[in-house]
Amino acid sequence: MKHRIVVLGAGYAGAFAAGNLARRLSPADTEITVVNAVPDFVERMRLHQLAIGQDLAVRKLADVFAGTGVRLRLARVTGVDPERRTVAVTGEDGDGELAYDTLLYALGSSVAHHGVPGVAEYAFDVTGRSSALRLRECLDNLGEGGTVLVVGEGLTGIETATEFAESRPDLSVALAARGELGAWLSPKARRHLRQAFDRLGITVHEHTGIEAVEPTRAIAADGTSIPADVTVWSAGFAVHLIAAASGLEVAETGQIVVDRTMRSVSHPDVYAAGDCAYAIGENGRPLPMSCASAGFTNMQATAAIIARLTGSEVPTTGLKYHGNHISLGRRDAIFQMVDGDVRSKSWYLGGRTAARLKSGVLKGAGWGIAHPTFGMPKRKRRLATAPDRSGVRVAA
């Protein structure tokens, strides 16, 4: 009787986790299935590049997992029943249900509208491939002098605004920030960021909260009208409501509350990784939704799953940030070192060297996804016990 591991989502967290599990667990004892709504791996960190017209390599998940022993189910997850240990899905083959013994929930996040009127109807985002392609089509049809407003001063907003301004100097690009641009950076890095914005001709509206989006403009909290033929919303992320509806314990954000090993605190046969995990970092604060967090949490979740299934001691992996890496177009970037409390240190790296480093990180992540079982050992670990399907959970 094989232990059924189901991984929901094949983004950075889910795809890496599935490869790790396949690399280290014996196929004689385990059956690994990945459920994903689309057939391709989506390089979310580069979707702003796709939106502005750059072509990204397409990695078919069927090719990614070929020969690894991982089964791919192309379907959309519609529900999870943690009491029956089943996942409801729908796809080209219709509705279905998958049973699991261990579930790794890694469905990621999407754009957060925050209830702002007009965002859903008129704004674009770069949190998914389809939405980035819709934005790309719109920008392709935008002529010289067209106005683009990026809302949000986080990493996504900064990278989107600078990429657009560099690639399309014929457009008028602006960014609306609720606070000060780059307020979390060290003084030197903040100065570098402002110089990059000035060089690229990006208008910055600081201390400007957007309270409504219309077809050709955005309305600020003070009533100011900011012209925008295209509004790109990058003011945060939100998780799907599936976890909350399932009965799993979730935080106010809808993220699954997990312990130090990424195991659900309410259902011990469920783990979470990536943006959908409410995990506490080494500084005592919840990990932010980011690609770095996807790396930390998927490594911890897979290590815990493997250890518990093979009767080993559960290791703990690091949950500590070392820095923020921000692209400023293709030829400039900032790498800001941070301390244990995620406060910026005085040292930072900027310019072409930082840009080459960021490019290497992106290429490395893409290569890792394309080779999920690289370095696969000849001898894989066997399970210590057969799966318990009695319906009674016993916490390890």
Side-chain angles (χ1 to χ4, degrees), residues 290-346:
S290 69
C291 185
S293 295
F296 298 153
T297 55
N298 102 72
M299 287 189 290
Q300 178 60 81
T302 52
I305 290 170
I306 291 165
R308 289 190 171 111
L309 292 181
T310 58
S312 306
E313 182 178 350
V314 178
T316 55
T317 61
L319 300 177
K320 180 180 178 180
Y321 275 79
H322 297 284
N324 290 316
H325 208 156
I326 315 165
S327 293
L328 304 174
R330 296 296 83 219
R331 296 179 292 276
D332 194 5
I334 290 173
F335 181 70
Q336 173 69 70
M337 293 292 291
V338 299
D339 61 19
D341 291 321
V342 201
R343 291 179 301 213
S344 295
K345 295 182 178 181
S346 60

Side-chain angles (χ1 to χ4, degrees), residues 17 36 52 60 75 88 106 150 180 197 226 231 256 267 279-280:
N36 202 61
I52 200 59
K60 296 289 184 184
V150 178
E180 178 186 353
F197 269 61
I226 302 176
T231 297
I256 298 172
H267 294 78
I280 304 302

Side-chain angles (χ1 to χ4, degrees), residues 234-302:
S234 58
F237 307 113
V239 299
H240 201 285
L241 299 177
I242 288 175
S246 72
L248 293 164
E249 183 172 335
V250 299
E252 290 183 1
T253 57
Q255 296 167 289
I256 298 172
V257 180
V258 295
D259 63 15
R260 181 58 178 78
T261 68
M262 303 304 129
R263 194 183 206 180
S264 164
V265 298
S266 61
H267 294 78
D269 42 18
V270 176
Y271 293 76
D275 288 353
C276 55
Y278 187 81
I280 304 302
E282 294 178 11
N283 59 5
R285 303 173 188 170
L287 293 178
M289 296 185 189
S290 69
C291 185
S293 295
F296 298 153
T297 55
N298 102 72
M299 287 189 290
Q300 178 60 81
T302 52

